[in-house]
Amino acid sequence: MKNTAAAHTGRHFLQIPGPTNVPDRVLLAIAMPTIDHRGPEFSALGQEVVAGMKRVFQTEDIVVIYPSSGTGAWEAALSNTLSPGDHVIMFETGHFATLWRRMAARLGLEVEFVPGDWRHGVDPALVEEKLSADRAHRLKAVCVVHNETSTGIASRIAEIRGAIDRARHPALFMVDTISSLASIDYRHDAWKVDVTVGGSQKGLMLPPGLGFNAVSQKALAAHKTARLPRSYWDWEAMLETGRTGFFPYTPATNLLFGLREALKMLLEEEGLPAVFRRHARHAEATRRAVAAWGLDVWGADPREYSNTLTAVLLPDAFDADRLREIILEAFDMSLGTGLGKLKGKVFRIGHLGHFNDLMLCGTLAGVEMGLHRAGVPHRAGGVSAALELLSSVPSDFAPTG
Ligand SMILES: *Cc1c(COP(=O)(O)O)cnc(C)c1O
């Protein structure tokens, strides 16, 4: 019997900003037989992936790996370091910052949520002002989403660190890097971040299911006196994993096989600096396509454009989700939906993880054909603008900023 939905041939294009495409060799690694998580073979695996993740976070600090989504790693960051009623400051950069704030409130924290227009990242000058005004040091933590996946805007973490330092404020600095880690340069140690939150399904090229915390000595000290209830997320039992390779409860063994393979690709074969340049180049090519179509990217400040995804604003009369539907049906490509306040207004192109020039060309061609089919007013030539950059610029292209 014939299916009513169109039959699709060839590969599906998964161009949402996470979960991202998983390389075949990572899938094959995950398909290996599960091993004894208390045995010697596992010990070596555990040590190897923790050591690799330290390089990804650019840290000498402790790295903790949970069998969880990124949301779990958010909760771990807060519940390990803070106490009921503690004041924290968060910034409304978009949907994910809003969700993290909601979690903090539910856990019993007092959140100062600095309003934002969703078109800008966190303003370092505002961080300095807010922290300087807090002379009593009531704020215990500054929580920032590095790459706001709902808006395609990356906050400038090094500058925010500088702002905290200028205010001479002792608050813990916590950063969500779920959609930037292993794609956009990020330095846990150099930027003196206390807890960095990560997840497996974006730049790390894995399926969903692993959550990460990188934990500074200062965060470990806060952990000793923090009183929010914690059990599953408690760092205590995880602190030895880097040394022993073992976990306090059954880890996601097969995802760790996949992680070992992905780390080999990122760290040994391509190398992180090249990974960052590749993402910068694909992001720039995507933005040139958007400009050539005569459409706007959602972000208002070019210094904050994300290298892992681009959110594209549609003219008022057009529903971005209808465009996504048309593209999915006709070309078998998934694009990111508008989240929260951006529902129907923007669609998001993921250009991160396991990705290359021709995958980007296919992605942009699908968008351009979709704009045409959906009757969205635009100029042709977006794909050509991207091709021009991709064909003329060597792959070590690194835009400034
Ligand atoms: C994807 C994402 C999350 C949520 O992660 P889950 O794995 O869905 O729990 C949080 N923050 C950011 C910035 C993200 O991109």
Side-chain angles (χ1 to χ4, degrees), residues 32-57:
M32 288 295 110
T34 303
I35 58 172
D36 173 11
H37 63 286
R38 311 273 183 216
E41 194 186 337
F42 189 91
S43 167
L45 170 68
Q47 291 175 56
E48 191 179 337
V49 293
V50 169
M53 285 308 297
K54 288 188 181 197
R55 290 171 63 191
V56 170
F57 282 110

Side-chain angles (χ1 to χ4, degrees), residues 17 69-72 74 96 145 147-149 176-179 201-202:
S69 82
T71 302
W74 265 350
F96 288 100
V145 174
N147 187 70
E148 216 351 307
T149 321
D176 167 352
T177 63
I178 295 174
S179 65
Q201 74 273 28
K202 298 179 187 178

Side-chain angles (χ1 to χ4, degrees), residues 365-387:
V367 173
E368 189 163 322
M369 291 189 289
L371 290 169
H372 186 76
R373 284 204 186 194
V376 176
H378 69 288
R379 293 192 298 266
V383 174
S384 307
L387 292 186

Side-chain angles (χ1 to χ4, degrees), residues 15-20 74 93-99 118 145-155 176-181 184 201-203 298 304 306-312 335-340 342 346-352:
Q15 296 317 134
I16 59 176
T20 63
W74 265 350
T93 49
H95 184 68
F96 288 100
T98 302
L99 291 179
W118 289 39
V145 174
H146 180 204
N147 187 70
E148 216 351 307
T149 321
S150 60
T151 62
I153 293 166
S155 287
D176 167 352
T177 63
I178 295 174
S179 65
S180 54
L181 194 66
I184 302 173
Q201 74 273 28
K202 298 179 187 178
W298 175 250
E304 299 177 332
S306 168
N307 285 342
T308 59
L309 77 138
T310 299
V312 184
L335 295 169
T337 187
L339 292 170
L342 297 183
V346 305
F347 67 93
R348 296 171 300 143
I349 304 171
H351 33 74
L352 73 160

